[in-house]
């Protein structure tokens, strides 16, 4: 279960720069309206709220086959890669270096940087590799291009068996990957209404979870609990409503449009990256939006905190605290003659990281910088599922307050179309002309 402490967002604690309880209360009607829309699944994009109840047997089946191989390679980008990457790095850190590692080594190729692909290929044996191609649309150039390359490579290496090494995770009806699946390649469905950045709890993330030995049902169980909590109609007891209202009001009334997500756990660093896509693509449109800022504590205390304390008053910091790190190291009784070290003797690393987190919250508050803290008991599949679902609901609610559609991404699509034009895809000739014209203009300002 997740806890939210927002005292350092409130006027009662940080003074004028905080928000009054009264102002929050004035959002009750609007927030409950938004909640009603979610409950009634008013928009197709809300299909993600049904994911916790999906049947995972086909995911488990596919994972069983993939686990017999030595390597697992995931091809995808954006929402088709950030979720699985977060699951991998949060739940099986240093996965490929583990001496006790069971199951395949895992690689995620989420870009079309050729040198990265070369490095990945140098680290695995293609003959012993299973490949998960993830694309909701089935037509994203980056993913499709790397799929084509890997397919040919595998075919050259193992012949006809190559097709059996792929699992295509895609729309159940549309797109080229679905067509290939209907010709016999193994596949998993991403439900129609579930968009890329809301898809982590679909087969997009669940297959990677199972391949690395994580029970996907645990992720879903955590999401179910978040569903109960985030869709509860009591404003003050619903952490998703309170958090969304705080983010929105801080931007509207205080000009705080940058949201720093600051987990005090290396394993949650990629959770910040996952959140960044969710927040940016869902909320940034029509001249509106909130800017996410990925971070990690304590590391960024020594890199960014100066700016957050004394720089422009445009940020809200959200701490992500972990109660139990499930590991600890006592700081031994050595070098006691040095003052800078003696006070640490007999304490632990978990004690230190928690102290740093608490101290940073207060230091920011003392400087009048609003911050809130989300606490999870530990980093496991259950609580990660809970966190994913929580932030998805917070995003939809914040989108409602801002008056934007949190499920589309028109500008991502435009970039995709211009690339199609440049790469010669049929039907996108006018897009190519646009890029060429822009090139001419750009050349005037080249030094
Ligand atoms: O959230 C989104 O919809 C996007 O960021 C997509 O995830 C990304 O563009 C990849 O698209 P696709 O899964 O269709 O390949």
């Amino acid at each position: 279960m997740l806890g939210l402490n927002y005292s350092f967002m409130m006027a009662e604690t940080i003074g004028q720069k905080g928000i009054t309880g009264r102002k929050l209360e004035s959002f009750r009607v609007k927030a409950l309206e938004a909640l009603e829309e979610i409950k009634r699944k008013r928009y197709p994009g809300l299909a993600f709220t049904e994911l916790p109840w999906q049947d995972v047997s086909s995911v488990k089946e596919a994972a069983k086959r993939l686990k017999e191989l030595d390597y697992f390679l995931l091809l995808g980008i954006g929402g088709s890669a950030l979720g699985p990457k977060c699951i991998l790095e949060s739940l099986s850190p240093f996965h490929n270096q583990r001496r006790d590692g069971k199951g395949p080594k895992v690689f995620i190729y989420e870009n079309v940087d050729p040198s990265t692909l070369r490095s990945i290929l140098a680290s695995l044996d293609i003959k012993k590799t299973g490949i998960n191609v993830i694309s909701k649309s089935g037509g994203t150039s980056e993913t499709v291009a790397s799929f084509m390359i890997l397919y040919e490579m595998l075919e050259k290496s193992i012949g006809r068996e190559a097709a059996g090494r792929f699992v295509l995770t895609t729309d159940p009806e549309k797109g080229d990957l679905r067509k290939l699946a209907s010709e016999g390649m193994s596949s998993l469905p991403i439900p129609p209404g579930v968009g890329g950045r809301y898809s982590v709890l679909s087969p997009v993330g669940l297959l990677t979870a199972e391949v690395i030995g994580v029970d996907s049902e645990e992720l879903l169980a955590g999401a179910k609990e978040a569903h109960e909590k985030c869709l509860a109609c009591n404003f003050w007891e619903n952490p998703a409503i309170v958090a969304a209202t705080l983010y929105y009001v801080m931007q509207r009334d205080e000009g705080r449009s940058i949201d720093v997500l600051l987990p005090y756990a290396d394993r949650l660093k990629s959770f910040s990256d996952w959140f960044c896509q969710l927040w940016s693509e869902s909320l940034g449109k029509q001249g509106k939006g909130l800017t996410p800022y990925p971070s990690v504590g304590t590391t960024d205390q020594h890199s960014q905190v100066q700016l957050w304390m004394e720089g422009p008053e445009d940020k809200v910091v959200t701490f992500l605290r972990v109660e139990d790190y499930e590991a600890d190291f006592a700081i031994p009784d050595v070098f006691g003659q040095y003052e800078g070290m003696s006070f640490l003797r007999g304490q632990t690393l978990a004690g230190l990281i928690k102290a740093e987190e608490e101290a940073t919250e207060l230091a920011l508050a003392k400087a009048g910088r609003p911050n809130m803290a989300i606490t999870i008991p530990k980093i496991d599949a259950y609580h990660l599922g809970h966190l994913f679902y929580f932030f998805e609901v917070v995003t939809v609610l914040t989108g409602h307050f801002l008056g934007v559609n949190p499920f589309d991404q028109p500008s991502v699509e435009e970039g995709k179309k211009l690339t199609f034009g440049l790469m010669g895809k049929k039907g996108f000739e006018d897009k190519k002309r646009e890029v060429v014209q822009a090139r001419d203009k750009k050349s005037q300002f080249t030094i």
Side-chain angles (χ1 to χ4, degrees):
M1 172 93 76
L2 159 162
L4 171 73
N5 187 302
Y6 57 97
S7 62
F8 291 150
M9 299 286 276
M10 303 302 287
E12 284 91 329
T13 47
I14 61 166
Q16 275 184 351
K17 291 174 185 168
I19 297 175
T20 60
R22 216 186 199 180
K23 192 177 262 183
L24 277 187
E25 175 67 30
S26 70
F27 267 81
R28 179 193 287 274
V29 174
K30 202 167 177 160
L32 294 180
E33 247 172 49
L35 208 62
E36 205 45 43
E37 292 197 337
I38 298 180
K39 280 186 168 166
R40 292 186 180 201
K41 301 193 191 87
R42 205 53 71 79
Y43 305 102
L46 287 165
F48 79 87
T49 58
E50 288 165 17
L51 292 174
W53 290 271
Q54 78 202 268
D55 173 10
V56 293
S57 50
S58 53
V59 172
K60 285 183 184 281
E61 188 69 38
K64 200 170 157 205
R65 280 186 285 116
L66 291 163
K67 278 164 89 170
E68 283 163 14
L69 296 158
D70 290 352
Y71 304 95
F72 173 74
L73 173 58
L74 187 154
L75 310 177
I77 195 163
S80 292
L82 288 161
K85 192 174 176 192
C86 174
I87 288 173
L88 171 70
E89 293 178 2
S90 305
L91 303 180
S92 190
F94 299 101
H95 181 84
N96 293 353
Q97 279 83 45
R98 291 175 75 133
R99 274 185 284 161
D100 62 347
K102 293 189 193 91
K105 292 196 188 313
V106 177
F107 297 89
I108 296 182
Y109 185 51
E110 54 174 333
N111 197 351
V112 276
D113 181 336
S115 64
T116 307
L117 184 57
R118 183 183 56 186
S119 303
I120 289 177
L121 291 172
S123 313
L124 52 73
D125 178 353
I126 194 79
K127 288 196 199 75
K128 299 175 181 165
T129 301
I131 301 177
N132 182 204
V133 186
I134 309 182
S135 175
K136 176 74 198 293
S137 60
T140 300
S141 305
E142 293 90 332
T143 308
V144 168
S146 36
F147 171 44
M148 291 158 83
I149 292 169
L150 266 301
Y151 183 81
E152 194 207 45
M153 221 171 252
L154 248 182
E155 201 181 33
K156 276 191 180 149
S157 154
I158 60 171
R160 282 218 205 134
E161 275 176 46
R165 289 292 180 80
F166 287 86
V167 175
L168 312 178
T169 306
T170 190
D171 190 277
E173 283 146 27
K174 292 186 282 196
D176 286 348
L177 290 185
R178 180 49 56 194
K179 285 184 201 143
L180 268 172
S182 62
E183 284 165 23
M185 239 183 227
S186 168
S187 71
L188 290 168
I190 308 173
V194 176
R197 56 193 177 274
Y198 295 90
S199 70
V200 59
L201 294 170
S202 78
V204 168
L206 301 188
L207 183 63
T208 299
E210 290 285 347
V211 167
I212 61 171
V214 168
D215 184 356
S216 54
E217 283 171 293
E218 272 298 291
L219 281 158
L220 299 183
K224 274 181 201 158
E225 199 201 15
H227 176 92
E228 300 305 327
K229 197 124 175 110
C230 296
L231 271 70
C233 280
N234 186 331
F235 183 96
W236 292 102
E237 280 168 25
N238 183 326
I241 287 190
V242 172
T245 307
L246 287 166
Y247 285 126
Y248 173 66
V249 175
M250 275 294 176
Q251 189 234 19
R252 190 193 65 178
D253 297 356
E254 305 295 325
R256 295 185 179 275
S257 61
I258 299 177
D259 294 311
V260 179
L261 187 64
L262 181 62
Y264 269 65
D266 289 331
R267 288 166 62 188
L268 292 177
K269 209 170 169 178
S270 49
F271 186 83
S272 289
D273 295 333
W274 172 84
F275 164 75
C276 266
Q277 189 215 7
L278 182 69
W279 210 234
S280 312
E281 278 193 357
S282 303
L283 305 180
K285 45 201 77 164
Q286 300 160 17
K288 301 175 188 172
L290 289 163
T291 304
Y293 187 127
S295 205
V296 72
T298 64
T299 314
D300 286 336
Q301 282 176 218
H302 303 272
S303 147
Q304 319 274 342
V305 163
Q306 173 61 36
L307 171 74
W308 304 342
M309 296 273 258
E310 277 189 52
E313 303 227 18
D314 53 4
K315 296 174 196 65
V316 168
V317 178
T318 304
F319 290 81
L320 208 47
R321 301 197 298 212
V322 178
E323 259 162 25
D324 180 3
Y325 286 84
E326 296 172 279
D328 208 355
F329 291 89
I331 304 172
D333 189 3
V334 292
F335 307 125
Q337 67 276 33
Y338 300 107
E339 253 182 56
M341 299 192 212
S342 64
F343 74 100
L344 291 169
R345 292 175 303 163
Q347 314 226 38
T348 70
L349 288 188
L352 180 58
I353 195 169
K354 286 182 183 180
E356 300 234 22
E357 188 276 330
E358 195 177 352
T360 308
E361 272 185 35
L362 183 58
L364 283 166
K366 281 174 68 182
R369 307 292 166 133
N371 65 87
M372 56 182 156
I374 289 166
T375 305
I376 53 166
K378 56 183 175 174
I379 306 170
D380 57 8
Y382 186 90
H383 294 100
L384 191 63
H386 197 101
L387 271 183
F388 282 137
Y389 196 94
F390 169 79
F391 274 102
E392 286 170 350
V393 175
V394 170
T395 305
V396 174
L397 291 171
T398 309
H400 181 93
F401 295 151
L402 284 167
V404 297
N405 173 1
F407 303 113
D408 65 358
Q409 57 285 326
S411 300
V412 178
E413 300 309 322
E414 183 57 18
K416 285 187 183 181
K417 286 178 195 156
L418 291 166
T419 308
F420 286 155
L422 265 185
M423 299 299 281
K425 187 170 177 180
K426 213 171 145 205
F428 293 86
E429 294 76 9
D430 55 331
K431 294 289 168 191
K432 179 168 184 169
R433 272 192 296 280
E434 255 186 74
V435 183
V436 172
Q437 276 164 12
R439 264 186 206 155
D440 291 345
K441 279 198 191 132
K442 271 159 71 182
S443 65
Q444 294 168 25
F445 299 97
T446 304
I447 296 171

